[in-house]
Every structure is written in structure tokens, then in C-alpha cells.
mmCIF file of all heavy atoms in Angstrom:
data_model
loop_
_atom_site.group_PDB
_atom_site.id
_atom_site.type_symbol
_atom_site.label_atom_id
_atom_site.label_comp_id
_atom_site.label_asym_id
_atom_site.label_seq_id
_atom_site.Cartn_x
_atom_site.Cartn_y
_atom_site.Cartn_z
ATOM 1 N N PHE D 1 -73.099 -102.455 100.725
ATOM 2 C CA PHE D 1 -74.187 -102.272 101.682
ATOM 3 C C PHE D 1 -73.643 -101.971 103.076
ATOM 4 O O PHE D 1 -74.112 -101.042 103.756
ATOM 5 C CB PHE D 1 -75.066 -103.519 101.726
ATOM 6 C CG PHE D 1 -76.010 -103.559 102.894
ATOM 7 C CD1 PHE D 1 -77.115 -102.720 102.935
ATOM 8 C CD2 PHE D 1 -75.785 -104.419 103.960
ATOM 9 C CE1 PHE D 1 -77.982 -102.746 104.021
ATOM 10 C CE2 PHE D 1 -76.644 -104.449 105.044
ATOM 11 C CZ PHE D 1 -77.748 -103.608 105.068
ATOM 12 N N LEU D 2 -72.641 -102.741 103.516
ATOM 13 C CA LEU D 2 -72.100 -102.557 104.866
ATOM 14 C C LEU D 2 -71.432 -101.191 105.016
ATOM 15 O O LEU D 2 -71.592 -100.526 106.048
ATOM 16 C CB LEU D 2 -71.104 -103.669 105.186
ATOM 17 C CG LEU D 2 -71.698 -105.077 105.324
ATOM 18 C CD1 LEU D 2 -70.598 -106.111 105.552
ATOM 19 C CD2 LEU D 2 -72.723 -105.139 106.449
ATOM 20 N N LEU D 3 -70.690 -100.760 103.998
ATOM 21 C CA LEU D 3 -70.058 -99.439 104.046
ATOM 22 C C LEU D 3 -71.100 -98.323 104.049
ATOM 23 O O LEU D 3 -70.954 -97.319 104.744
ATOM 24 C CB LEU D 3 -69.108 -99.265 102.859
ATOM 25 C CG LEU D 3 -67.726 -99.903 103.002
ATOM 26 C CD1 LEU D 3 -66.961 -99.814 101.686
ATOM 27 C CD2 LEU D 3 -66.930 -99.235 104.118
ATOM 28 N N THR D 4 -72.157 -98.509 103.251
ATOM 29 C CA THR D 4 -73.234 -97.522 103.216
ATOM 30 C C THR D 4 -73.931 -97.435 104.562
ATOM 31 O O THR D 4 -74.196 -96.337 105.074
ATOM 32 C CB THR D 4 -74.257 -97.891 102.130
ATOM 33 O OG1 THR D 4 -73.606 -97.981 100.865
ATOM 34 C CG2 THR D 4 -75.362 -96.841 102.034
ATOM 35 N N LEU D 5 -74.218 -98.586 105.145
ATOM 36 C CA LEU D 5 -74.895 -98.621 106.439
ATOM 37 C C LEU D 5 -74.023 -97.990 107.524
ATOM 38 O O LEU D 5 -74.499 -97.145 108.308
ATOM 39 C CB LEU D 5 -75.232 -100.062 106.806
ATOM 40 C CG LEU D 5 -76.058 -100.271 108.074
ATOM 41 C CD1 LEU D 5 -77.427 -99.629 107.939
ATOM 42 C CD2 LEU D 5 -76.210 -101.763 108.372
ATOM 43 N N LEU D 6 -72.762 -98.354 107.558
ATOM 44 C CA LEU D 6 -71.853 -97.800 108.564
ATOM 45 C C LEU D 6 -71.681 -96.297 108.367
ATOM 46 O O LEU D 6 -71.754 -95.517 109.331
ATOM 47 C CB LEU D 6 -70.497 -98.503 108.490
ATOM 48 C CG LEU D 6 -69.421 -98.000 109.462
ATOM 49 C CD1 LEU D 6 -69.870 -98.163 110.906
ATOM 50 C CD2 LEU D 6 -68.102 -98.728 109.225
ATOM 51 N N GLY D 7 -71.469 -95.886 107.127
ATOM 52 C CA GLY D 7 -71.288 -94.459 106.847
ATOM 53 C C GLY D 7 -72.525 -93.653 107.178
ATOM 54 O O GLY D 7 -72.433 -92.543 107.730
ATOM 55 N N GLY D 8 -73.692 -94.207 106.879
ATOM 56 C CA GLY D 8 -74.936 -93.510 107.173
ATOM 57 C C GLY D 8 -75.177 -93.350 108.658
ATOM 58 O O GLY D 8 -75.560 -92.275 109.138
ATOM 59 N N VAL D 9 -74.925 -94.413 109.415
ATOM 60 C CA VAL D 9 -75.121 -94.345 110.875
ATOM 61 C C VAL D 9 -74.109 -93.390 111.512
ATOM 62 O O VAL D 9 -74.452 -92.627 112.432
ATOM 63 C CB VAL D 9 -75.015 -95.756 111.486
ATOM 64 C CG1 VAL D 9 -74.971 -95.680 113.008
ATOM 65 C CG2 VAL D 9 -76.196 -96.612 111.045
ATOM 66 N N LEU D 10 -72.871 -93.403 111.018
ATOM 67 C CA LEU D 10 -71.868 -92.479 111.547
ATOM 68 C C LEU D 10 -72.237 -91.023 111.254
ATOM 69 O O LEU D 10 -72.057 -90.141 112.094
ATOM 70 C CB LEU D 10 -70.495 -92.800 110.947
ATOM 71 C CG LEU D 10 -69.807 -94.058 111.488
ATOM 72 C CD1 LEU D 10 -68.597 -94.413 110.635
ATOM 73 C CD2 LEU D 10 -69.397 -93.864 112.943
ATOM 74 N N ALA D 11 -72.772 -90.778 110.055
ATOM 75 C CA ALA D 11 -73.210 -89.416 109.709
ATOM 76 C C ALA D 11 -74.361 -88.983 110.601
ATOM 77 O O ALA D 11 -74.425 -87.830 111.057
ATOM 78 C CB ALA D 11 -73.624 -89.360 108.240
ATOM 79 N N HIS D 12 -75.276 -89.908 110.875
ATOM 80 C CA HIS D 12 -76.405 -89.630 111.759
ATOM 81 C C HIS D 12 -75.907 -89.332 113.172
ATOM 82 O O HIS D 12 -76.353 -88.372 113.825
ATOM 83 C CB HIS D 12 -77.341 -90.836 111.758
ATOM 84 C CG HIS D 12 -78.596 -90.643 112.538
ATOM 85 N ND1 HIS D 12 -79.567 -91.610 112.630
ATOM 86 C CD2 HIS D 12 -79.056 -89.598 113.281
ATOM 87 C CE1 HIS D 12 -80.556 -91.166 113.396
ATOM 88 N NE2 HIS D 12 -80.263 -89.954 113.797
ATOM 89 N N ALA D 13 -74.957 -90.133 113.639
ATOM 90 C CA ALA D 13 -74.394 -89.920 114.969
ATOM 91 C C ALA D 13 -73.709 -88.558 115.064
ATOM 92 O O ALA D 13 -73.853 -87.842 116.066
ATOM 93 C CB ALA D 13 -73.396 -91.035 115.292
ATOM 94 N N ALA D 14 -72.975 -88.190 114.011
ATOM 95 C CA ALA D 14 -72.318 -86.880 113.994
ATOM 96 C C ALA D 14 -73.345 -85.759 114.071
ATOM 97 O O ALA D 14 -73.152 -84.771 114.794
ATOM 98 C CB ALA D 14 -71.472 -86.735 112.725
ATOM 99 N N ALA D 15 -74.450 -85.915 113.334
ATOM 100 C CA ALA D 15 -75.507 -84.900 113.364
ATOM 101 C C ALA D 15 -76.094 -84.768 114.767
ATOM 102 O O ALA D 15 -76.371 -83.655 115.242
ATOM 103 C CB ALA D 15 -76.597 -85.256 112.359
ATOM 104 N N ASN D 16 -76.294 -85.909 115.450
ATOM 105 C CA ASN D 16 -76.810 -85.872 116.822
ATOM 106 C C ASN D 16 -75.861 -85.118 117.752
ATOM 107 O O ASN D 16 -76.280 -84.301 118.584
ATOM 108 C CB ASN D 16 -76.999 -87.297 117.346
ATOM 109 C CG ASN D 16 -78.214 -87.989 116.769
ATOM 110 O OD1 ASN D 16 -79.066 -87.360 116.153
ATOM 111 N ND2 ASN D 16 -78.293 -89.293 116.946
ATOM 112 N N VAL D 17 -74.576 -85.396 117.627
ATOM 113 C CA VAL D 17 -73.580 -84.776 118.506
ATOM 114 C C VAL D 17 -73.463 -83.286 118.222
ATOM 115 O O VAL D 17 -73.426 -82.454 119.143
ATOM 116 C CB VAL D 17 -72.220 -85.483 118.348
ATOM 117 C CG1 VAL D 17 -71.122 -84.726 119.080
ATOM 118 C CG2 VAL D 17 -72.308 -86.918 118.874
ATOM 119 N N TYR D 18 -73.408 -82.918 116.941
ATOM 120 C CA TYR D 18 -73.352 -81.500 116.581
ATOM 121 C C TYR D 18 -74.605 -80.766 117.067
ATOM 122 O O TYR D 18 -74.541 -79.614 117.508
ATOM 123 C CB TYR D 18 -73.219 -81.329 115.069
ATOM 124 C CG TYR D 18 -71.830 -81.544 114.526
ATOM 125 C CD1 TYR D 18 -71.628 -82.261 113.352
ATOM 126 C CD2 TYR D 18 -70.710 -81.022 115.169
ATOM 127 C CE1 TYR D 18 -70.352 -82.453 112.841
ATOM 128 C CE2 TYR D 18 -69.433 -81.210 114.665
ATOM 129 C CZ TYR D 18 -69.254 -81.927 113.495
ATOM 130 O OH TYR D 18 -67.997 -82.110 112.990
ATOM 131 N N ASN D 19 -75.740 -81.430 116.976
ATOM 132 C CA ASN D 19 -76.981 -80.812 117.423
ATOM 133 C C ASN D 19 -76.921 -80.516 118.920
ATOM 134 O O ASN D 19 -77.330 -79.433 119.371
ATOM 135 C CB ASN D 19 -78.163 -81.725 117.113
ATOM 136 C CG ASN D 19 -79.490 -81.081 117.445
ATOM 137 O OD1 ASN D 19 -79.805 -79.997 116.980
ATOM 138 N ND2 ASN D 19 -80.274 -81.749 118.275
ATOM 139 N N ASP D 20 -76.416 -81.468 119.699
ATOM 140 C CA ASP D 20 -76.225 -81.242 121.135
ATOM 141 C C ASP D 20 -75.303 -80.050 121.375
ATOM 142 O O ASP D 20 -75.576 -79.192 122.233
ATOM 143 C CB ASP D 20 -75.615 -82.490 121.780
ATOM 144 C CG ASP D 20 -76.656 -83.339 122.498
ATOM 145 O OD1 ASP D 20 -77.850 -83.150 122.226
ATOM 146 O OD2 ASP D 20 -76.270 -84.196 123.310
ATOM 147 N N TYR D 21 -74.209 -80.009 120.640
ATOM 148 C CA TYR D 21 -73.207 -78.960 120.831
ATOM 149 C C TYR D 21 -73.796 -77.579 120.567
ATOM 150 O O TYR D 21 -73.678 -76.666 121.399
ATOM 151 C CB TYR D 21 -72.018 -79.208 119.904
ATOM 152 C CG TYR D 21 -71.022 -78.069 119.865
ATOM 153 C CD1 TYR D 21 -70.061 -77.916 120.851
ATOM 154 C CD2 TYR D 21 -71.050 -77.130 118.824
ATOM 155 C CE1 TYR D 21 -69.156 -76.860 120.827
ATOM 156 C CE2 TYR D 21 -70.157 -76.082 118.784
ATOM 157 C CZ TYR D 21 -69.214 -75.951 119.785
ATOM 158 O OH TYR D 21 -68.326 -74.905 119.747
ATOM 159 N N TYR D 22 -74.450 -77.408 119.417
ATOM 160 C CA TYR D 22 -74.958 -76.081 119.058
ATOM 161 C C TYR D 22 -76.162 -75.681 119.903
ATOM 162 O O TYR D 22 -76.327 -74.496 120.242
ATOM 163 C CB TYR D 22 -75.298 -76.029 117.564
ATOM 164 C CG TYR D 22 -74.059 -75.892 116.710
ATOM 165 C CD1 TYR D 22 -73.551 -76.980 116.005
ATOM 166 C CD2 TYR D 22 -73.365 -74.686 116.640
ATOM 167 C CE1 TYR D 22 -72.403 -76.868 115.245
ATOM 168 C CE2 TYR D 22 -72.212 -74.566 115.870
ATOM 169 C CZ TYR D 22 -71.736 -75.654 115.181
ATOM 170 O OH TYR D 22 -70.587 -75.534 114.436
ATOM 171 N N ASP D 23 -77.002 -76.643 120.288
ATOM 172 C CA ASP D 23 -78.123 -76.318 121.169
ATOM 173 C C ASP D 23 -77.625 -75.879 122.545
ATOM 174 O O ASP D 23 -78.213 -75.004 123.188
ATOM 175 C CB ASP D 23 -79.065 -77.516 121.308
ATOM 176 C CG ASP D 23 -80.024 -77.639 120.132
ATOM 177 O OD1 ASP D 23 -79.988 -76.758 119.248
ATOM 178 O OD2 ASP D 23 -80.799 -78.601 120.093
ATOM 179 N N TYR D 24 -76.546 -76.482 122.987
ATOM 180 C CA TYR D 24 -75.965 -76.103 124.279
ATOM 181 C C TYR D 24 -75.307 -74.725 124.186
ATOM 182 O O TYR D 24 -75.518 -73.861 125.043
ATOM 183 C CB TYR D 24 -74.952 -77.153 124.708
ATOM 184 C CG TYR D 24 -74.274 -76.863 126.026
ATOM 185 C CD1 TYR D 24 -74.946 -77.025 127.234
ATOM 186 C CD2 TYR D 24 -72.939 -76.437 126.061
ATOM 187 C CE1 TYR D 24 -74.322 -76.764 128.447
ATOM 188 C CE2 TYR D 24 -72.311 -76.173 127.266
ATOM 189 C CZ TYR D 24 -73.005 -76.340 128.455
ATOM 190 O OH TYR D 24 -72.376 -76.073 129.657
ATOM 191 N N LYS D 25 -74.528 -74.503 123.131
ATOM 192 C CA LYS D 25 -73.839 -73.224 122.963
ATOM 193 C C LYS D 25 -74.812 -72.071 122.759
ATOM 194 O O LYS D 25 -74.557 -70.931 123.179
ATOM 195 C CB LYS D 25 -72.874 -73.299 121.767
ATOM 196 C CG LYS D 25 -71.723 -74.256 121.953
ATOM 197 C CD LYS D 25 -70.716 -73.770 122.981
ATOM 198 C CE LYS D 25 -69.858 -72.647 122.446
ATOM 199 N NZ LYS D 25 -68.790 -72.254 123.395
ATOM 200 N N ASN D 26 -75.952 -72.354 122.115
ATOM 201 C CA ASN D 26 -76.956 -71.312 121.840
ATOM 202 C C ASN D 26 -78.005 -71.203 122.934
ATOM 203 O O ASN D 26 -79.022 -70.536 122.759
ATOM 204 C CB ASN D 26 -77.631 -71.577 120.494
ATOM 205 C CG ASN D 26 -76.653 -71.440 119.329
ATOM 206 O OD1 ASN D 26 -75.752 -70.618 119.359
ATOM 207 N ND2 ASN D 26 -76.847 -72.250 118.291
ATOM 208 N N HIS D 27 -77.781 -71.915 124.046
ATOM 209 C CA HIS D 27 -78.674 -71.858 125.213
ATOM 210 C C HIS D 27 -80.088 -72.345 124.900
ATOM 211 O O HIS D 27 -81.061 -71.880 125.491
ATOM 212 C CB HIS D 27 -78.714 -70.436 125.773
ATOM 213 C CG HIS D 27 -77.363 -69.860 126.068
ATOM 214 N ND1 HIS D 27 -76.560 -70.332 127.081
ATOM 215 C CD2 HIS D 27 -76.664 -68.850 125.460
ATOM 216 C CE1 HIS D 27 -75.432 -69.653 127.102
ATOM 217 N NE2 HIS D 27 -75.457 -68.748 126.126
ATOM 218 N N VAL D 28 -80.162 -73.287 123.944
ATOM 219 C CA VAL D 28 -81.444 -73.950 123.679
ATOM 220 C C VAL D 28 -81.630 -75.086 124.690
ATOM 221 O O VAL D 28 -82.710 -75.260 125.250
ATOM 222 C CB VAL D 28 -81.489 -74.489 122.239
ATOM 223 C CG1 VAL D 28 -82.801 -75.246 121.994
ATOM 224 C CG2 VAL D 28 -81.337 -73.347 121.233
ATOM 225 N N ASP D 29 -80.591 -75.858 124.913
ATOM 226 C CA ASP D 29 -80.612 -76.921 125.922
ATOM 227 C C ASP D 29 -80.036 -76.372 127.220
ATOM 228 O O ASP D 29 -78.836 -76.055 127.303
ATOM 229 C CB ASP D 29 -79.773 -78.119 125.461
ATOM 230 C CG ASP D 29 -80.426 -78.885 124.324
ATOM 231 O OD1 ASP D 29 -81.605 -78.616 124.029
ATOM 232 O OD2 ASP D 29 -79.752 -79.742 123.730
ATOM 233 N N VAL D 30 -80.872 -76.256 128.227
ATOM 234 C CA VAL D 30 -80.422 -75.668 129.491
ATOM 235 C C VAL D 30 -80.689 -76.571 130.698
ATOM 236 O O VAL D 30 -80.052 -76.416 131.743
ATOM 237 C CB VAL D 30 -81.093 -74.290 129.726
ATOM 238 C CG1 VAL D 30 -80.603 -73.285 128.707
ATOM 239 C CG2 VAL D 30 -82.624 -74.404 129.672
ATOM 240 N N ARG D 31 -81.635 -77.507 130.559
ATOM 241 C CA ARG D 31 -81.958 -78.379 131.681
ATOM 242 C C ARG D 31 -81.248 -79.728 131.522
ATOM 243 O O ARG D 31 -80.924 -80.139 130.405
ATOM 244 C CB ARG D 31 -83.474 -78.569 131.781
ATOM 245 C CG ARG D 31 -84.217 -77.279 132.127
ATOM 246 C CD ARG D 31 -85.564 -77.591 132.770
ATOM 247 N NE ARG D 31 -86.463 -78.273 131.849
ATOM 248 C CZ ARG D 31 -87.319 -77.658 131.043
ATOM 249 N NH1 ARG D 31 -87.387 -76.331 131.031
ATOM 250 N NH2 ARG D 31 -88.114 -78.336 130.255
ATOM 251 N N PRO D 32 -81.031 -80.444 132.620
ATOM 252 C CA PRO D 32 -80.271 -81.707 132.552
ATOM 253 C C PRO D 32 -80.838 -82.723 131.565
ATOM 254 O O PRO D 32 -80.093 -83.492 130.974
ATOM 255 C CB PRO D 32 -80.342 -82.230 133.990
ATOM 256 C CG PRO D 32 -80.511 -81.007 134.826
ATOM 257 C CD PRO D 32 -81.351 -80.063 134.010
ATOM 258 N N GLU D 33 -82.173 -82.725 131.398
ATOM 259 C CA GLU D 33 -82.788 -83.723 130.522
ATOM 260 C C GLU D 33 -82.776 -83.317 129.056
ATOM 261 O O GLU D 33 -83.174 -84.098 128.182
ATOM 262 C CB GLU D 33 -84.233 -84.005 130.958
ATOM 263 C CG GLU D 33 -85.205 -82.848 130.760
ATOM 264 C CD GLU D 33 -85.258 -81.876 131.926
ATOM 265 O OE1 GLU D 33 -84.333 -81.907 132.760
ATOM 266 O OE2 GLU D 33 -86.223 -81.103 132.004
ATOM 267 N N HIS D 34 -82.326 -82.119 128.738
ATOM 268 C CA HIS D 34 -82.319 -81.654 127.351
ATOM 269 C C HIS D 34 -81.242 -82.365 126.528
ATOM 270 O O HIS D 34 -80.153 -82.658 127.026
ATOM 271 C CB HIS D 34 -82.081 -80.143 127.286
ATOM 272 C CG HIS D 34 -83.293 -79.341 127.597
ATOM 273 N ND1 HIS D 34 -83.278 -77.984 127.792
ATOM 274 C CD2 HIS D 34 -84.607 -79.708 127.734
ATOM 275 C CE1 HIS D 34 -84.504 -77.542 128.036
ATOM 276 N NE2 HIS D 34 -85.311 -78.577 128.010
ATOM 277 N N GLY D 35 -81.559 -82.591 125.259
ATOM 278 C CA GLY D 35 -80.616 -83.258 124.373
ATOM 279 C C GLY D 35 -80.282 -84.650 124.876
ATOM 280 O O GLY D 35 -81.133 -85.364 125.405
ATOM 281 N N SER D 36 -79.030 -85.028 124.718
ATOM 282 C CA SER D 36 -78.599 -86.326 125.241
ATOM 283 C C SER D 36 -78.304 -86.248 126.730
ATOM 284 O O SER D 36 -78.148 -87.281 127.388
ATOM 285 C CB SER D 36 -77.338 -86.791 124.498
ATOM 286 O OG SER D 36 -76.235 -85.951 124.818
ATOM 287 N N GLY D 37 -78.193 -85.019 127.264
ATOM 288 C CA GLY D 37 -77.858 -84.828 128.670
ATOM 289 C C GLY D 37 -76.372 -84.788 128.943
ATOM 290 O O GLY D 37 -75.946 -84.466 130.059
#
């Protein structure tokens, strides 16, 4: 359970970070409040 929970949260965190990266590179996030900032 603990490994599943940790692995799942880490995968979710990676998805959040990648989403910020690609939205920034593709000029989707352009204002300071966009994404995580």
C-alpha cells in the first residue's frame, strides 16, 4: 500500500511538472498566475 501510494503521488507530481513545462514551451501559460507559476 505504501509503495503504491508513494508511486502514485510521484507519478501525479511528474504529470503536474511536465504539464507546466509543455504549457510554458507551447505558449499556453503566459501570465504569472498560469500553471504553478
Side-chain angles (χ1 to χ4, degrees):
F1 166 72
L2 293 176
L3 279 172
T4 303
L5 185 63
L6 178 60
V9 170
L10 286 169
H12 185 179
N16 285 347
V17 171
Y18 281 138
N19 185 55
D20 260 17
Y21 171 81
Y22 283 104
D23 279 357
Y24 179 74
K25 294 290 285 185
N26 294 326
H27 307 292
V28 177
D29 289 349
V30 293
R31 294 204 295 269
E33 68 273 16
H34 282 170
S36 68

